[in-house]
Amino acid sequence: MIVKLFKHPLFLVGFLYLLLLFVASYFVDSIYKPEIEPNVVYDGNGNVIGVTPLPPFGRHLLGTDEQGVDMLYKLIDGAKYTIGLVILVSILRLTFSLFFGGLLSTRFFKKTKGFLTNLSDSFHYAPAALIVYVIAAPVVIVFSWAFTPEMRLILTAGALTLVAVPSLSLVIASEIGQINQRDFITNARLLGGSSFHIFRKHAAPYLMPRLLILFTQQFIQVLLLFAHLALLGLFMGGTVLKVTPTGLRAANSTDPPPMELKQIPFSHEWGGLIAQAIDHISFHRWLIYEPVIAMTITIFSTILIVEGMKSVFLNQRPFRRRRKNQKTNQGTDGPSFEFLKEKRRELPF
């Protein structure tokens, strides 16, 4: 099954993109040392040829930020923090949800399952980013001086995990319940198999493909949450005080920009790059377009992985089925064109 999965073109394209990006992010410092451009760039004759941030497709392929750092380097370097933290949170979500989902699938927690169902329904009307922000902001932003960066990271990851556990546990409990209704599970119980033995030998092989699909779906959700939280001023990689330009200088001005003391992300995590670029959206739009495009391509690659898994594990081809259903509906639902044409001829006007 795994060999068949890696032969699927959709899964292979998405997986290779994420793998190459992650590996390149770890070795970018040893391969490429970016040159930090000065505030005002002069040519050999002393003429001004540019001011930071420099635009793309000039001295730098993707331009520079307001401090003169190459944007291509920042995007590749930030991939390991972004993808690594997203994978960590997704694993935590799936691990805790699998534990509680297994408990909810038993008859002893039947009443608790109903309570959690109502609780998860209420979560659908509350933005997850606001819930995480309310939980983590007092420690990460307000009282950040009293906590170490590791503690701030653990708390933020815990909040991101907690907000998804109720609904994800119900999904896994439903999957386990459907598997337990199969005939071979019933036969294994009649033969005297213990619950642990039945789960490990019979239910787990059916549950594992669905867990992999859920993991990739959580990957997409957590990646979007990173961007939302960064816009609210909550960065996963922590922050550091630094003197930076305010971003109010026009693109053609050579005057030194006004400076300010600002909390900026410690790492080049993509959500933080998006939040930093908000001040430059009027004059230097590429600073926000580039991390957004990088995040969009990563999400699209993950969607390809999900579609490949569905095709191999569950034998689902949603796009083909949708087209087939559309053709069927056109042929059966409602009157045909020829029928309407004949009826029009019968009208007296």
Side-chain angles (χ1 to χ4, degrees), residues 214-236:
L214 286 175
F215 171 78
T216 51
Q217 292 173 344
Q218 293 302 309
F219 183 96
I220 298 174
Q221 295 180 12
V222 176
L223 187 59
L224 290 174
L225 273 178
F226 276 18
H228 297 163
L229 292 174
L231 292 176
L232 295 174
L234 198 153
F235 304 102
M236 283 294 295

Side-chain angles (χ1 to χ4, degrees), residues 17 219-220 223-224 294-304:
Y17 169 79
F219 183 96
I220 298 174
L223 187 59
L224 290 174
M295 192 171 288
T296 303
I297 295 175
T298 303
I299 291 174
F300 179 72
S301 301
T302 311
I303 292 174
L304 294 181

Side-chain angles (χ1 to χ4, degrees), residues 145-219:
W145 50 270
F147 297 90
T148 62
E150 291 79 11
M151 287 299 300
R152 295 198 296 266
L153 179 61
I154 292 173
L155 180 65
T156 308
L160 285 168
T161 303
L162 179 64
V163 75
V165 167
S167 58
L168 193 56
S169 298
L170 290 173
V171 172
I172 294 177
S174 177
E175 292 287 344
I176 296 176
Q178 293 178 6
I179 295 173
N180 289 336
Q181 293 176 0
R182 292 178 176 268
D183 293 337
F184 63 89
I185 298 292
T186 304
N187 294 335
R189 286 200 188 96
L190 293 176
L191 292 173
S194 63
S195 299
F196 179 75
H197 173 80
I198 293 174
F199 178 80
R200 184 171 61 91
K201 290 292 186 180
H202 303 286
Y206 278 84
L207 185 62
M208 188 58 64
R210 290 165 173 79
L211 292 180
L212 291 175
I213 294 173
L214 286 175
F215 171 78
T216 51
Q217 292 173 344
Q218 293 302 309
F219 183 96

